[in-house]
Amino acid sequence: MKLLPSEYKINTPTERWAITLTNYRLKIKEENGKFSNETSIFLEHISSIEKKHFRYKFLFWPIAIFLLSIPAMVLDYKFKLGRGELIFISIMAGISVLLIIFYYGTQKTFLSFISDSGSKIKIEIKGSSNESIEDLIYEVSIAKMNRINELYKFEKIISN
């Protein structure tokens, strides 16, 4: 990343975060194959920071129904010695396991930095603790506050 005159890095990208924070801007670089995307927002233009957890909520009820029906079928099977019921119970248990794996496997947490113009820097958070996420949000907030104070001082000097 090339820095602007009098710009310096506050935070450098790591394996966990693909975000670079400087005293002027916040930048993300995403690479996938041959192509790379870069998004940059000047700190004074960040209007909000959002941490959002995503999951397929509609899967909860099918999972609950399948899991609650298995004990009923097992109890019913004790009194009926048919092979068809055992196959049906096995299929229901297999579907329940697949739904549970899909439900927990598709949960994601995103951190978004939204500018006042509507552009957004959005990253998926994988394996990060809440503390490290809060630290990043805090660093960005402090850098934004310092940048706004710097611009205010500069504007005061020019207006005098």
Side-chain angles (χ1 to χ4, degrees):
M1 174 178 159
K2 289 187 177 182
L3 298 176
L4 300 172
S6 73
E7 182 179 27
Y8 58 88
K9 289 183 181 181
I10 296 172
N11 177 337
T12 56
T14 63
E15 283 183 28
R16 188 179 301 170
W17 307 112
I19 288 182
T20 302
L21 174 64
T22 71
N23 60 325
Y24 288 170
R25 57 193 167 144
L26 182 68
K27 183 176 182 179
I28 184 170
K29 184 174 184 177
E30 297 172 298
E31 293 185 26
N32 42 354
K34 294 189 247 179
F35 305 103
S36 67
N37 299 320
E38 293 184 20
T39 307
S40 181
I41 300 176
F42 281 92
L43 294 173
E44 62 269 20
H45 295 293
I46 293 176
S47 62
S48 63
I49 301 171
E50 177 183 73
K51 177 185 164 193
K52 197 169 198 176
H53 191 71
F54 172 78
R55 72 182 125 204
Y56 291 104
K57 293 178 184 173
F58 68 89
L59 286 177
F60 176 77
W61 289 111
I63 291 172
I65 291 168
F66 276 110
L67 289 177
L68 292 175
S69 65
I70 290 172
M73 286 185 277
V74 169
L75 289 175
D76 188 43
Y77 176 71
K78 276 186 154 184
F79 300 108
K80 297 177 185 174
L81 298 174
R83 182 178 163 99
E85 286 85 8
L86 180 60
I87 292 172
F88 186 69
I89 291 170
S90 300
I91 291 171
M92 293 290 281
I95 291 172
S96 297
V97 168
L98 289 175
L99 283 173
I100 291 169
I101 290 170
F102 184 74
Y103 181 74
Y104 285 106
T106 58
Q107 290 185 358
K108 296 178 181 182
T109 303
F110 293 98
L111 187 60
S112 301
F113 300 91
I114 304 162
S115 76
D116 50 13
S117 67
S119 64
K120 184 187 280 191
I121 290 181
K122 185 175 183 178
I123 58 168
E124 182 181 346
I125 300 167
K126 293 180 182 177
S128 299
S129 67
N130 280 334
E131 186 177 323
S132 65
I133 296 165
E134 292 298 321
D135 287 346
L136 178 63
I137 293 171
Y138 179 75
E139 284 179 5
V140 171
S141 299
I142 293 295
K144 177 185 175 179
M145 185 181 68
N146 290 339
R147 176 69 178 148
I148 290 173
N149 286 338
E150 183 181 310
L151 290 173
Y152 178 73
K153 289 175 188 174
F154 184 70
E155 182 181 312
K156 233 178 169 184
I157 291 169
I158 290 179
S159 64
N160 286 336

